[in-house]
């Protein structure tokens, strides 16, 4: 049965066939609903990022969101931090996501402060950036490439610059890992996803989203050069870090 296209995430509803997860047109259409129902405290994390950036960065600083998807983070940040006149750039390799991001930034009259570029974040060259945001994106990069990539971001940051890293994580304690995953599945069920949808999405993400542990993410950031590294948010198997490049 063909379903009416709307903005509610029903990608893994019963009548859909299983396939690996890709950031295509169908995903972009329902992505904002997916974010709110699949990422615990998504909006609150962005609020906390706004507090960090607002306190740490000078007016007119450059902020780059890597894997910006439909621009939800940048739209919220640009609204919360309007008076700081930051320059926001979002980079993503999915044209469907960027179409949606550009459309939304026009709808909210933000096209002067938000810029979106299509490209592979691995190739990023954004010297003099004051903050990089990697919200739930590093987990899609091949694990072996993550540390060299973070090193590159570090070298593109100004002294005192910031890297925000939010990731889904695993625990190396099997019992806790299982129970955190169960907590997360309950979170999704409470938001209207069925058991079958949750299982199918999990399967589709199996070889696409590869989570590391909190310690592994922290040590990757430190090996990249960041000295001050602390989580500022954690909800079971989701964590957000603040990493700061030293001033000298
Ligand atoms: C948010 N940060 O709203 N180059 C560019 N983009 C990429 C690459 C790559 N190599 N790999 C993946 N992406 C967003 C959510 S979603 C998270 C980020 C999720 C992009 C991909 O196209 C997608 O838009 C995004 O990274 C990941 O907070 O879907 O779980």
């Amino acid at each position: 049965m063909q379903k009416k296209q709307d903005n509610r995430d029903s990608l893994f509803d019963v009548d859909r066939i299983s396939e690996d997860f890709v950031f295509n047109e169908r995903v972009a259409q329902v992505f904002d609903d997916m974010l709110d129902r699949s990422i615990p405290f998504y909006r609150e994390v962005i609020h906390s990022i706004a507090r960090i950036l607002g306190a740490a960065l000078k007016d007119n600083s450059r902020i780059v969101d890597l894997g910006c998807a439909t621009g939800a983070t940048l739209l919220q940040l640009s609204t919360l931090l309007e008076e700081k006149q930051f320059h926001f750039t979002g980079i993503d390799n999915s044209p469907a996501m960027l179409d949606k991001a550009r459309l939304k930034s026009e709808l909210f009259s933000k096209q002067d402060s938000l810029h979106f570029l299509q490209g592979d974040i691995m190739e990023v060259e954004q010297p003099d950036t004051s903050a990089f945001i990697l919200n739930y994106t590093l987990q899609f990069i091949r694990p072996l490439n993550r540390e060299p990539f973070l090193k590159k971001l570090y070298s593109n940051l100004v002294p005192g610059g910031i890297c925000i890293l939010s990731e889904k994580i695993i625990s190396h304690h099997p019992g806790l890992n299982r129970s955190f995953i169960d907590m997360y599945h309950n979170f999704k069920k409470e938001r209207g996803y069925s058991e079958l949808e949750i299982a199918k999405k999990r399967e589709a993400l199996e070889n696409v989203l590869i989570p590391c542990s909190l310690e592994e993410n922290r040590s990757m950031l430190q090996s990249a050069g960041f000295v001050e590294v602390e989580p500022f948010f954690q909800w079971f198997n989701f964590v957000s870090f603040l990493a700061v490049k030293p001033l000298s």
Side-chain angles (χ1 to χ4, degrees):
M1 187 180 77
Q2 186 65 38
K3 286 209 157 176
K4 174 168 96 49
Q5 194 185 43
D6 60 26
N7 294 332
R8 190 169 167 85
D9 172 19
S10 59
L11 293 173
F12 294 92
D13 217 344
V14 273
D15 57 347
R16 305 248 190 227
I17 46 158
S18 291
E19 53 195 40
D20 269 356
F21 194 80
V22 243
F23 294 101
N24 57 18
E25 174 67 40
R26 253 186 331 118
V27 171
Q29 172 76 16
V30 299
F31 194 74
D32 288 7
D33 177 57
M34 184 191 289
L35 287 174
D36 285 326
R37 294 199 293 138
S38 303
I39 302 187
F41 297 94
Y42 177 75
R43 301 281 160 192
E44 288 79 359
V45 168
I46 300 175
H47 233 277
S48 305
I49 295 172
R51 290 181 203 279
I52 293 169
L53 300 177
L57 305 186
K58 295 196 201 89
D59 290 5
N60 294 302
S61 292
R62 280 170 33 75
I63 296 170
V64 179
D65 185 12
L66 301 165
C68 64
T70 60
T73 300
L74 290 187
L75 265 175
Q76 195 175 332
L77 289 179
S78 65
T79 303
L80 291 168
L81 297 166
E82 194 143 30
E83 76 288 357
K84 302 284 284 185
Q85 311 212 318
F86 290 147
H87 302 281
F88 295 101
T89 302
I91 303 179
D92 205 288
N93 60 3
S94 163
M97 291 289 195
L98 291 176
D99 284 349
K100 202 125 203 265
R102 291 191 181 107
L103 187 69
K104 286 197 302 180
S105 77
E106 272 170 39
L107 281 174
F108 291 93
S109 305
K110 293 279 184 191
Q111 61 273 45
D112 293 338
S113 56
L114 302 188
H115 300 279
F116 294 100
L117 305 174
Q118 193 193 328
D120 186 344
I121 56 170
M122 299 300 291
E123 310 293 320
V124 77
E125 286 303 342
Q126 295 283 327
D128 299 322
T129 294
S130 293
F132 282 112
I133 301 171
L134 272 168
N135 272 356
Y136 318 103
T137 299
L138 193 66
Q139 58 199 19
F140 293 103
I141 301 298
R142 280 187 60 204
L144 272 178
N145 294 338
R146 290 181 194 178
E147 196 177 303
F149 170 61
L150 290 173
K151 281 199 171 115
K152 189 169 177 190
L153 298 189
Y154 182 87
S155 67
N156 273 256
L157 278 174
V158 298
I162 281 173
C163 180
I164 302 284
L165 173 65
S166 301
E167 288 279 277
K168 194 172 184 183
I169 53 169
I170 49 162
S171 167
H172 289 303
H173 304 292
L176 283 183
N177 197 46
R178 183 67 259 158
S179 87
F180 283 13
I181 290 171
D182 290 344
M183 304 275 184
Y184 177 51
H185 288 173
N186 285 335
F187 169 93
K188 290 183 77 170
K189 270 194 256 170
E190 286 159 16
R191 277 149 191 81
Y193 287 112
S194 69
E195 299 265 6
L196 187 61
E197 280 176 291
I198 294 170
K200 285 174 96 178
K201 170 107 184 244
R202 194 159 180 226
E203 194 191 329
L205 284 172
E206 192 80 37
N207 301 311
V208 182
L209 187 168
I210 301 167
C212 290
S213 68
L214 186 143
E215 295 77 16
E216 286 157 351
N217 278 299
R218 184 202 284 272
S219 93
M220 270 189 288
L221 286 163
Q222 287 169 331
S223 304
F226 294 99
V227 177
E228 295 170 273
V229 178
E230 288 294 351
F232 62 88
F233 171 85
Q234 183 174 5
W235 186 90
F236 300 105
N237 53 350
F238 286 81
V239 69
S240 297
F241 289 94
L242 164 61
V244 186
K245 178 169 176 170
L247 277 169
S248 53

